[in-house]
Amino acid sequence: MNTIRIESIEFPLVNRESAVFQVIESFLLSYPLRRDGTLRNPRPHMCYAPQMYGSGKSAFGQHFHWFLSVNKENLLQYLKNFCCLPGFEKGENVGERALHALLNETLYVMLNLLDVPRGTCFEDTLLEWISREALSRFPNGADLLSQVLSYIGSPKEWLQKLLQVTKKRYLYLFIDEIGLLEEYNFTLFKDLMVTQGTSRVHNVYRAFFRVLSIVVSQPFVICIVAGRSNCIISREEDAMPSRITLNFLRLDPFSEATIKYFIQNVTCHNEPILKVLFPSHPEGHDWFFKQVYDYTGGVPFYVVHVLNELGKKCERWNSFRDLSENEMKVKMERIAPNFSLVVTLSGMTPKSMIVFSSMLLASILEFRIPKRETLFDGSHSEYVLDIANHFGFYYVSCSRNEQDEASRILVEDNYETFFKLVFPKIVLKHIQSRYWNIPPFRFICSLFSSISRLDSPSSRGFKFEIIFTLILYVRWCFCSKLGELSIFRHSFIEHISIQSAQTIGSLKVDPIPNYVPAFSSTVSGIHSANEATYHVTAWKPFFEKYLSKDGIFVPIRQNSNGPDVLIRVTDMKGNSFLVVQGESSSEQAPTETETTKKRVYLIGAALKCFQLSSSGVGRSMIKAEVAKFLHPVASQLELEQNDLTAIQLIVSNKYTEEVSRQFSDNQNWILNSGVYYEDNTNNIVYSSINSERQPQNVRQEWLRIPPHCQVVVCSTTSLRTFLGRKASEDLERVFGDNPRWLEQLKPLSDLLSNSFVDLLRRIPFEETERNSGMMERRSTRPSMDMNMMQVEDTRGESTISVPSSVQVSFDWMNFLKVYCHLTEEESTQCYECLCKFSERDMGVIDSNILEQMGIDDSLLRVKVVAGMRTYIKDRQST
């Protein structure tokens, strides 16, 4: 087994069989054969690996010979049955001879543009560099080099001579770090400074591929170019003028199963890493493999980085060994990424933030994105994969849908590749504080932290639940009372004011969504933290444990038997409230008791949108949802005694005719406490909950709503108003009958843009100069400046951007050391989370906010909050 060592960690190379076959296929396409076996005009095909740092590009390119050898059996069958390598005539044992040539008659040369020799002509420098690297391993290399360099003026004769003196048939050429072409060193090569085309705009990549084509057009060269780049599809277009075809090399992040195999073969100081971490359980734990996969996204470098950091901590502290699942999760999520490999995003405009957020959401919801999909329109159009690479995403190749077995399917006579986006949690967790004041981004980060515990993220129902909750959350952040949200109109909570909520900076302390255990009708009791599932009879402990504060709550399981979304809100004032009796409504003044008490409202939302093949939500489904939520809540929570009111919210884009006719003037259908019957004409008849007499001419009881409860059936008009017209149309397209929309990012980006751009205007961004509107790129180095990524405002105002930091003068480091008694390391950790706040925010910062900002250690949070309280008291006393 071939291994690599980084610091104290030694790890195995993981087989990349599909990538090996991609390279061989590109080689075959470069030298097409006629039917008689003779060679047609070569058209160079090269594999191109522009993925983000840590994808395994260099490891694959530098160890390609090893990857060939471990896949030689499958490769032999491929060569026997499907093709003949160039330079071989068909005949006996052609497959064996071709495989032997790849393994033993190929000259392997690896170049890194970081080490490019100085020169003025890149073509001559490249040929000499290849020659020196190829011959450096030969005993008589100096003599051979002088022979080869004498032919450097003729690339064809040069390559023939190089292969002749080394007694090889093929040249394998791997060129790494091509992103460095934009650096100063390459401006010294005159042939890379030549402009081409009518635009006269210099493009160093086009010049580079023109020079490289001179080499790879000769028989016979296998070539891979690699290096993190802002562009993927655009680089392929840059290569076209030189007749080179770039084939995107798919180096997917590791799967969960691959990570398990990988970790089982990693050693730390020559001892199995699992034995170091878990001496009492040296075979490891399945939950540990899953945690590593979840935190790293399967990105090879980050997997190694996390294992290395854990190994080093075990060396320092013996108490770090044999951690429990929850303890390991806390420790692991304190590991920061290697910031030299992280794309630094700064100065994000609202538009670029929306694009970034929509990509994060697409990665969570497992959108399948066509390789050549674009965003924006006209001359401002950009390839999604180019933008994703710019933001630092990774990719997993996939089929168009779960039913397709192949990763490439025939679309309009062309093979189209699909990808899922991946953004490692280790990176997001340590950059999220920069944009914490952007509600959509804050919501998505909160969702990201819990997505591994959610089932079926790719299902249509779940997609809508998340998007609905996101819109609810953002609109909640900016409304003054809940009546502004049409889904709550005419309900008990319509009047509730949230305008007086405390603020952090310029935004209210909003109800960041929390993720809670699901409910089950088949499993009784409360289970372990790992598989927490609550029976419908467990509402009382559930409410006390998870719903003790106001907020939005999403069950973590898709098979939950309870609401899809839970909302708790407290009426802080004794305002009048709307009471609905049957078909009429009236405004009632609060009683003396009501004005002095803070009534808590618990809303259970059943989202039945874009997932029903029938005629829509009918009375029977409404009754079933009430039985799952209102009845158990009312029977267990003692609503009257605890000043609680429970509301069942039904939301759908489609209702049966018998429900639709109840929407008077397209408003919500409100059903208050009472008994509702179906009469002989199928109409609804209301009776008081305390009535001893049943109404006449009724056929059967339909619905019984307990005291202090209410049912709100949201009309389709109210739903469209809540989502917004354009957003509603986009959702119809995304979740409608045409599943093709589920493969595309543009509807999701449009949805976020149209829903949130006006809300984002209300955040006090700094004004900047108008930009051309394109998502321009200044550099491909890790410390990218996103100030260039500004999009023109459609209203003709100046483009606005997020300030890179909030200007505050408070000395948080001194505060953490003096008032919280933290060590230097602890102070540094907390400072990164607190530096965005000002001194005046101390009064509203609590433990939950600190946890959301990335301070996972509960003891640290207690110390910081206690220090803030002490500081405030000291200030008040002076």
Side-chain angles (χ1 to χ4, degrees):
M1 182 184 297
N2 207 355
T3 60
I4 300 174
R5 178 177 290 275
I6 294 181
E7 296 184 18
S8 61
I9 296 291
E10 189 171 2
F11 54 92
L13 284 173
V14 173
N15 191 11
R16 297 283 197 174
E17 182 181 19
S18 62
V20 169
F21 277 90
Q22 269 190 273
V23 174
I24 299 302
E25 287 174 7
S26 293
F27 181 43
L28 292 169
L29 291 170
S30 297
Y31 305 99
L33 300 176
R34 297 186 177 90
R35 290 185 178 181
D36 60 0
T38 58
L39 190 66
R40 296 179 185 175
N41 291 331
R43 171 118 193 184
H45 284 66
M46 304 180 342
C47 281
Y48 173 48
Q51 291 93 336
M52 269 294 294
Y53 313 105
S55 299
K57 305 183 294 292
S58 299
F60 178 78
Q62 292 168 6
H63 297 87
F64 185 69
H65 184 272
W66 180 84
F67 286 107
L68 283 175
S69 63
V70 297
N71 291 289
K72 59 185 179 183
E73 293 183 5
N74 290 338
L75 194 55
L76 177 59
Q77 293 303 314
Y78 175 78
L79 295 172
K80 279 183 176 180
N81 299 329
F82 299 105
C83 66
C84 179
L85 290 185
F88 283 91
E89 295 182 3
K90 293 184 178 180
E92 189 176 354
N93 298 326
V94 65
E96 286 82 355
R97 288 186 289 125
L99 180 61
H100 183 270
L102 289 173
L103 292 172
N104 303 298
E105 298 177 35
T106 300
L107 187 62
Y108 286 86
V109 176
M110 278 74 76
L111 306 180
N112 189 318
L113 293 188
L114 186 65
D115 306 315
V116 64
R118 290 186 175 274
T120 57
C121 176
F122 187 69
E123 179 182 334
D124 291 347
T125 301
L126 179 62
L127 297 185
E128 182 177 346
W129 191 13
I130 292 172
S131 305
R132 291 184 183 278
E133 290 294 323
L135 299 172
S136 62
R137 297 183 295 274
F138 288 79
N140 56 339
D143 294 337
L144 298 179
L145 180 62
S146 63
Q147 296 179 45
V148 172
L149 292 182
S150 64
Y151 291 89
I152 208 166
S154 171
K156 182 175 182 180
E157 294 180 2
W158 163 82
L159 183 57
Q160 289 175 346
K161 189 64 177 180
L162 180 63
L163 295 176
Q164 177 192 341
V165 300
T166 56
K167 299 179 181 178
K168 302 294 183 181
R169 185 185 293 266
Y170 301 138
L171 169 65
Y172 167 80
L173 179 61
F174 174 63
I175 302 178
D176 205 357
E177 298 293 354
I178 69 163
L180 296 175
L181 286 169
E182 297 182 40
E183 298 297 309
Y184 171 75
N185 288 350
F186 290 90
T187 63
L188 303 178
F189 295 107
K190 295 179 181 179
D191 49 347
L192 294 185
M193 293 296 102
V194 177
T195 57
Q196 292 179 309
T198 56
S199 67
R200 310 304 298 171
V201 176
H202 177 250
N203 186 318
V204 69
Y205 292 97
R206 289 191 178 185
F208 168 77
F209 287 124
R210 182 187 60 78
V211 173
L212 187 59
S213 68
I214 297 172
V215 178
V216 297
S217 297
Q218 312 306 324
F220 297 103
V221 181
I222 304 170
C223 187
I224 302 174
V225 291
R228 196 267 167 181
S229 168
N230 275 344
C231 298
I232 296 177
I233 312 301
S234 298
R235 284 295 159 266
E236 294 181 3
E237 295 176 347
D238 289 338
M240 288 179 181
S242 60
R243 299 188 73 248
I244 288 178
T245 299
L246 291 182
N247 298 319
F248 179 69
L249 187 63
R250 299 194 300 273
L251 295 171
D252 294 347
F254 294 158
S255 66
E256 191 174 339
T258 301
I259 281 184
K260 181 175 182 178
Y261 159 82
F262 183 83
I263 295 174
Q264 287 172 336
N265 289 277
V266 170
T267 61
C268 179
H269 293 301
N270 301 318
E271 189 174 7
I273 187 73
L274 289 173
K275 189 175 181 181
V276 173
L277 296 175
F278 307 106
S280 302
H281 205 278
E283 65 274 20
H285 301 277
D286 285 342
W287 56 258
F288 176 69
F289 306 133
K290 185 174 181 62
Q291 279 184 359
V292 175
Y293 173 70
D294 176 53
Y295 192 53
T296 63
V299 176
F301 172 80
Y302 287 123
V303 175
V304 173
H305 175 64
V306 165
L307 295 176
N308 188 42
E309 291 298 311
L310 292 176
K312 287 193 292 189
K313 286 179 170 59
C314 280
E315 286 182 75
R316 280 184 239 143
W317 302 298
N318 192 52
S319 60
F320 204 89
R321 302 169 188 264
D322 281 324
L323 297 179
S324 67
E325 179 176 354
N326 290 335
E327 290 172 333
M328 178 59 78
K329 184 177 187 297
V330 171
K331 300 291 186 185
M332 188 181 298
E333 293 195 352
R334 287 184 191 165
I335 298 174
N338 184 329
F339 284 101
S340 66
L341 302 182
V342 173
V343 173
T344 302
L345 307 176
S346 63
M348 296 269 271
T349 67
K351 188 67 175 180
S352 57
M353 175 57 72
I354 286 169
V355 173
F356 182 45
S357 297
S358 64
M359 287 184 164
L360 283 175
L361 193 55
S363 70
I364 293 171
L365 300 180
E366 298 186 357
F367 268 50
R368 298 163 184 268
I369 300 173
K371 178 183 174 183
R372 305 190 76 83
E373 182 177 342
T374 59
L375 279 181
F376 314 120
D377 299 309
S379 61
H380 295 166
S381 179
E382 291 268 342
Y383 289 108
V384 168
L385 286 189
D386 287 357
I387 301 170
N389 224 42
H390 183 62
F391 280 128
F393 283 83
Y394 296 79
Y395 326 94
V396 175
S397 54
C398 64
S399 59
R400 176 177 173 176
N401 53 56
E402 293 178 359
Q403 286 71 44
D404 291 323
E405 294 181 359
S407 61
R408 288 179 295 178
I409 61 170
L410 197 61
V411 179
E412 298 179 356
D413 298 325
N414 292 308
Y415 282 101
E416 187 166 12
T417 307
F418 288 80
F419 294 92
K420 295 179 185 178
L421 298 175
V422 175
F423 199 88
K425 190 182 294 183
I426 184 175
V427 178
L428 185 64
K429 189 173 180 65
H430 292 274
I431 67 168
Q432 65 185 26
S433 62
R434 232 168 273 164
Y435 310 109
W436 198 251
N437 65 331
I438 311 296
F441 184 78
R442 186 159 64 249
F443 173 92
I444 292 168
C445 287
S446 177
L447 175 64
F448 216 100
S449 65
S450 299
I451 193 64
S452 63
R453 305 168 67 195
L454 291 152
D455 295 336
S456 306
S458 61
S459 70
R460 287 195 189 189
F462 177 71
K463 283 184 171 73
F464 178 78
E465 288 171 22
I466 293 304
I467 291 172
F468 175 90
T469 309
L470 172 56
I471 293 174
L472 169 64
Y473 167 70
V474 174
R475 296 203 181 285
W476 187 302
C477 291
F478 291 96
C479 68
S480 59
K481 64 178 183 178
L482 291 180
E484 294 178 26
L485 305 179
S486 57
I487 57 173
F488 297 132
R489 297 259 172 84
H490 307 304
S491 70
F492 282 154
I493 62 170
E494 179 185 35
H495 69 284
I496 293 180
S497 173
I498 52 179
Q499 193 170 19
S500 60
Q502 292 176 302
T503 62
I504 291 181
S506 61
L507 292 180
K508 291 190 292 294
V509 181
D510 46 71
I512 296 173
N514 300 280
Y515 299 89
V516 295
F519 283 83
S520 171
S521 60
T522 56
V523 181
S524 61
I526 300 173
H527 292 254
S528 70
N530 300 336
E531 298 182 1
T533 305
Y534 281 73
H535 191 263
V536 289
T537 61
W539 270 102
K540 185 173 177 60
F542 179 88
F543 181 83
E544 293 171 350
K545 183 174 182 181
Y546 296 105
L547 306 179
S548 60
K549 293 185 178 180
D550 287 359
I552 300 170
F553 306 85
V554 181
I556 62 174
R557 305 282 177 125
Q558 277 295 285
N559 59 357
S560 172
N561 193 54
D564 299 308
V565 179
L566 281 162
I567 303 164
R568 175 191 153 132
V569 60
T570 302
D571 188 359
M572 305 302 292
K573 299 178 181 178
N575 297 335
S576 62
F577 61 96
L578 197 66
V579 174
V580 180
Q581 297 290 350
E583 297 294 329
S584 64
S585 64
S586 61
E587 192 82 10
Q588 292 189 354
T591 65
E592 182 179 350
T593 303
E594 287 165 345
T595 59
T596 58
K597 289 187 177 181
K598 296 177 181 178
R599 177 159 289 274
V600 173
Y601 294 87
L602 186 63
I603 304 116
L607 306 178
K608 304 295 179 183
C609 301
F610 307 107
Q611 54 181 305
L612 299 173
S613 57
S614 63
S615 56
V617 171
R619 291 177 187 170
S620 60
M621 187 170 291
I622 294 173
K623 183 174 184 178
E625 293 300 326
V626 168
K628 288 193 295 186
F629 175 67
L630 281 191
H631 289 168
V633 164
S635 65
Q636 296 168 47
L637 295 187
E638 301 171 332
L639 300 180
E640 182 176 5
Q641 179 180 335
N642 293 299
D643 297 305
L644 282 166
T645 295
I647 298 175
Q648 174 75 70
L649 178 65
I650 308 289
V651 182
S652 179
N653 64 312
K654 189 193 301 184
Y655 294 98
T656 61
E657 192 279 330
E658 62 184 10
V659 174
S660 296
R661 67 170 180 252
Q662 303 294 335
F663 297 130
S664 177
D665 297 326
N666 295 318
Q667 297 297 315
N668 299 336
W669 182 21
I670 308 294
L671 296 135
N672 260 14
S673 172
V675 183
Y676 295 83
Y677 297 89
E678 293 175 343
D679 67 11
N680 294 329
T681 60
N682 206 31
N683 289 320
I684 298 298
V685 177
Y686 167 80
S687 178
S688 170
I689 193 74
N690 297 317
S691 175
E692 297 180 358
R693 298 173 58 185
Q694 180 174 304
Q696 296 180 345
N697 301 321
V698 295
R699 187 173 72 249
Q700 62 182 0
E701 179 182 314
W702 167 54
L703 192 63
R704 183 176 292 268
I705 302 178
H708 302 280
C709 293
Q710 187 180 64
V711 174
V712 178
V713 184
C714 179
S715 71
T716 53
T717 300
S718 293
L719 175 61
R720 281 194 296 270
T721 302
F722 168 75
L723 297 175
R725 182 184 62 80
K726 185 65 168 64
S728 184
E729 291 173 358
D730 285 340
L731 283 169
E732 289 282 358
R733 293 189 183 98
V734 173
F735 298 103
D737 295 330
N738 183 3
R740 175 83 188 209
W741 281 99
L742 290 172
E743 301 157 2
Q744 298 185 18
L745 181 69
K746 192 175 188 305
L748 193 59
S749 179
D750 289 345
L751 167 70
L752 289 176
S753 179
N754 286 288
S755 298
F756 306 138
V757 72
D758 288 334
L759 299 176
L760 287 171
R761 293 179 194 284
R762 297 172 64 173
I763 302 173
F765 296 110
E766 294 178 350
E767 296 288 333
T768 62
E769 295 180 3
R770 182 185 304 278
N771 198 294
S772 65
M774 285 194 68
M775 300 183 75
E776 299 180 66
R777 298 174 177 81
R778 188 183 72 178
S779 168
T780 59
R781 302 301 293 151
S783 56
M784 269 189 291
D785 183 356
M786 294 292 294
N787 281 312
M788 300 299 289
M789 294 192 60
Q790 298 177 358
V791 178
E792 190 172 348
D793 183 357
T794 57
R795 294 192 180 184
E797 301 170 2
S798 297
T799 303
I800 49 181
S801 67
V802 181
S804 59
S805 63
V806 177
Q807 298 299 318
V808 295
S809 58
F810 186 66
D811 188 347
W812 281 107
M813 283 296 287
N814 183 63
F815 161 79
L816 292 166
K817 293 175 183 177
V818 174
Y819 281 88
C820 306
H821 310 290
L822 302 188
T823 65
E824 183 73 29
E825 182 180 353
E826 290 171 335
S827 297
T828 302
Q829 178 189 345
C830 294
Y831 174 80
E832 293 175 356
C833 302
L834 291 171
C835 62
K836 295 293 181 182
F837 297 113
S838 64
E839 179 186 1
R840 70 177 184 273
D841 296 327
M842 282 192 186
V844 295
I845 294 175
D846 59 14
S847 182
N848 287 336
I849 292 174
L850 293 177
E851 185 176 15
Q852 290 290 344
M853 292 300 293
I855 302 178
D856 300 308
D857 191 321
S858 59
L859 180 58
L860 268 186
R861 296 199 300 269
V862 169
K863 287 182 178 180
V864 172
V865 172
M868 289 179 176
R869 301 299 172 257
T870 303
Y871 179 85
I872 292 171
K873 288 180 182 178
D874 287 353
R875 296 282 290 177
Q876 290 172 343
S877 62
T878 58

